[in-house]
Amino acid sequence: MQDMDIIGELSWRGLIHQSTDQEHLARWLDERPRTLYAGFDPTSESLHVGNLIPLLLLRRFQRAGHTPILLVGGATGMIGDPSGKSEERNLLAVETLEANVASVREQAQTFLDFDGSAAARVVNNHDWMRGYSYLEFLRAVGKNVPVNVMLAKDSVRSRLERDDGGLSYTEFSYMLLQAYDFVQLYDDYGCELQVGGSDQWGNITAGIDLGRRMRGVQLYGLTCPLLIKADGSKMGKTESGTLWLSAERTSPYAFYQYWINVEDADAGRCLRFLTELPREEIEALDQSRTDEPEKRNSQRKLAAELTQLVHGASGLAAAERATAIFFGAEIEDLSERELAEIFADVPSHELPRETLGGEGLPLVDALVSAGLAKSKGEARRTITQGGAYVNNRRLGEVDARLQASDLANESVMVLRSGKKRYALLRFVG
RNA sequence: GGGGGGUUUCCCGAGCGGUCAAAGGGGUCAGACUGUAAAUCUGAUGGCAAUGCCUUCACAGGUUCGAAUCCUGUACCCCCCA
């Protein structure tokens, strides 16, 4: 672990949104290795692109020699964080939550190093909240939290100003739980810094206040900006929903393709926020984007770095292989083996072989089965408008039927809708 | 407690007895252009065994040859007066 000016590093990347006295924080971090934490909500069974920045933040701190703690909010997840939310949340079922905690914990591990002097640690706040009684909590913690301060927080105030619904007592209490986490981690591990997204500032400062009141210590906080696109929308959302970090939910190929397609206007920020490339390299890519944008060097690098980070070398290789095949070679030239290799990386579906017999399989049905159209009507529309391809050959007849002769090889057919949405259909049996 | 307004297809929002699967915009999908970019332009956009059939205009009933449109009741939301 090399030592470096972590605050300076975060600063040129544009990753510092708010922090407790920045100069003091820089010096304090420089003095000796510190322990810090970031919290993650187990609201789903997989982390998503929105979690990448805080995850990477922990990783960056660890590389600079500090010890990261990744907190999974098994307890806070039972309540629901009102920050940044405009409506009261639905409570998750306890079993769902437990399963989510386990998989989030698992997933987060690929980002951090669990050996060495700055070995990372994963904790679950349910472990210490579970045994806490309501009365004990009110006496020990609640007593130290002024309601007028809580009411002044943006996250609370914006909800109180709405005349519909407001905020439940449960969600209002969320802040106390998160604040207490900070104190607990200070007690257990000497953790003195909390990092998170900009929407966490209120919760972080609540923790800092509580630390001062309960333990008389100075804690620190740092938030990073949210990753949004040039048009103001959230990064990591696709037509079909969220871009997940688990290969089961978003294939490495789809993940890779998302980044390849990032707009120029967003590429620079993505490189700074989401990769660990050195400054010179990122600036060279900025230059390349101005001088020779058609090379898409930024997008290629971004996709490669991130896919490698999230899905490992094999995931990246698979994504690149599928990309090279779809956006390069002639499908007809592909060997059985090559198609078999990419089969797993691309959205794919199986159909019984008989469907190709007789009259053949209507192209319309094939598009629906492959998931490229939501209904036959939509499939028909795509075909009529010239957007349907079989093995990269455009098929414009609405009533076209597919037969065994249309297979790209022994059993696979490559379907495409539009310019770049691919899906494979395998015929078995 | 009294009075008024609202609930429309993925979203916003027109429609106010037949010509309504329902204007317009957004989104989405496809085409052209291009750099697997943006912007722009064009077309499409409830489902299906499809010159027709079925489902949709908060929910349940009713009036009518015929209702998203009229009536009654129910639920939720907004506004005004107490």
Side-chain angles (χ1 to χ4, degrees):
Chain A
M1 297 294 148
Q2 71 276 34
D3 236 8
M4 58 171 117
D5 172 17
I6 178 76
I7 293 296
E9 160 85 6
L10 296 179
S11 172
W12 76 257
R13 285 181 184 273
L15 278 172
I16 299 182
H17 182 254
Q18 277 175 297
S19 80
T20 46
D21 185 355
Q22 197 169 320
E23 277 175 37
H24 179 253
L25 187 61
R27 263 182 282 119
W28 178 78
L29 284 165
D30 197 41
E31 278 170 26
R32 61 181 177 79
R34 305 288 183 174
T35 299
L36 71 146
Y37 96 96
F40 295 83
D41 262 353
T43 42
S44 113
E45 64 176 5
S46 169
L47 292 167
H48 51 86
V49 164
N51 300 125
L52 269 177
I53 294 190
L55 228 32
L56 279 163
L57 205 53
L58 287 182
R59 190 178 153 101
R60 293 181 208 277
F61 270 99
Q62 185 173 40
R63 293 195 146 202
H66 304 286
T67 304
I69 297 175
L70 195 152
L71 180 143
V72 185
T76 36
M78 297 183 82
I79 303 300
D81 182 2
S83 305
K85 299 288 183 305
S86 53
E87 288 174 5
E88 179 85 8
R89 291 230 224 138
N90 293 322
L91 295 178
L92 290 169
V94 175
E95 310 81 66
T96 316
L97 208 56
E98 280 169 5
N100 291 351
V101 167
S103 55
V104 164
R105 174 191 284 263
E106 172 89 28
Q107 209 169 21
Q109 311 221 346
T110 61
F111 292 87
L112 300 169
D113 186 355
F114 289 82
D115 296 307
S117 57
R121 184 177 267 119
V122 179
V123 299
N124 180 353
N125 57 10
H126 193 246
D127 291 343
W128 56 80
M129 286 313 304
R130 186 175 34 210
Y132 226 138
S133 85
Y134 188 55
L135 284 176
E136 286 173 62
F137 188 78
L138 289 180
R139 288 175 63 93
V141 180
K143 201 68 182 162
N144 291 295
V145 182
V147 167
N148 49 340
V149 172
M150 288 176 76
L151 289 174
K153 305 273 181 195
D154 281 346
S155 56
V156 172
R157 214 175 48 206
S158 64
R159 285 281 292 273
L160 290 180
E161 278 164 6
R162 295 165 61 94
D163 26 21
D164 55 325
L167 180 72
S168 72
Y169 176 72
T170 300
E171 283 200 8
F172 181 62
S173 309
Y174 177 92
M175 188 184 290
L176 259 78
L177 294 186
Q178 184 165 332
Y180 180 69
D181 285 343
F182 203 169
V183 174
Q184 179 76 32
L185 289 176
Y186 170 77
D187 288 346
D188 290 353
Y189 307 109
C191 176
E192 298 170 278
L193 169 66
Q194 182 180 175
V195 300
S198 55
D199 56 344
Q200 291 302 308
W201 184 246
N203 292 332
I204 292 175
T205 52
I208 293 174
D209 281 348
L210 191 62
R212 182 165 32 238
R213 287 165 192 271
M214 286 180 74
R215 300 288 183 264
V217 293
Q218 174 65 59
L219 300 174
Y220 302 86
L222 178 104
T223 59
C224 45
L226 297 177
L227 182 59
I228 50 165
K229 295 203 250 186
D231 64 9
S233 61
K234 266 191 200 158
M235 201 81 205
K237 292 284 175 197
T238 65
E239 320 74 56
S240 43
T242 307
L243 199 65
W244 301 97
L245 299 188
S246 84
E248 291 73 43
R249 288 202 166 192
T250 300
S251 74
Y253 168 74
F255 184 84
Y256 181 88
Q257 282 292 321
Y258 179 85
W259 301 108
I260 279 285
N261 280 298
V262 162
E263 301 170 21
D264 286 5
D266 298 320
R269 202 173 326 106
C270 286
L271 284 166
R272 285 167 174 75
F273 281 19
L274 301 173
T275 74
E276 293 174 336
L277 296 172
R279 186 169 194 167
E280 311 78 63
E281 196 168 347
I282 288 179
E283 283 168 356
L285 286 169
D286 289 344
Q287 193 59 44
S288 163
R289 224 163 41 248
T290 312
D291 299 344
E292 40 183 15
E294 70 284 357
K295 289 198 172 164
R296 306 179 65 77
N297 284 328
S298 297
Q299 284 86 344
R300 279 178 222 286
K301 192 69 185 169
L302 178 67
E305 286 288 314
L306 278 172
T307 310
Q308 163 88 40
L309 178 73
V310 174
H311 295 293
S314 64
L316 174 59
E320 285 181 329
R321 195 165 51 222
T323 296
I325 288 169
F326 286 145
F327 295 92
E330 285 295 315
I331 301 278
E332 275 83 358
D333 298 341
L334 290 177
S335 71
E336 178 75 20
R337 199 177 52 81
E338 284 173 307
L339 271 178
E341 276 178 351
I342 62 168
F343 190 82
D345 307 326
V346 172
S348 55
H349 301 267
E350 296 195 346
L351 285 180
R353 195 165 194 104
E354 303 90 83
T355 53
L356 288 176
E359 295 272 286
L361 173 68
L363 175 57
V364 170
D365 292 339
L367 288 171
V368 174
S369 304
L372 290 176
K374 283 197 279 298
S375 66
K376 292 185 185 181
E378 190 178 311
R380 247 175 240 117
R381 211 184 309 140
T382 308
I383 300 170
T384 322
Q385 297 182 132
Y389 298 78
V390 175
N391 303 326
N392 273 351
R393 238 183 34 251
R394 183 181 278 179
L395 270 187
E397 302 86 55
V398 197
D399 41 11
R401 282 168 178 272
L402 302 172
Q403 290 168 320
S405 56
D406 292 305
L407 286 165
N409 65 13
E410 291 294 295
S411 59
V412 175
M413 219 174 260
V414 181
L415 298 187
R416 188 178 121 204
S417 164
K419 268 176 261 185
K420 49 199 181 191
R421 283 171 65 217
Y422 279 96
L424 298 188
L425 227 39
R426 176 167 13 202
F427 296 88
V428 296

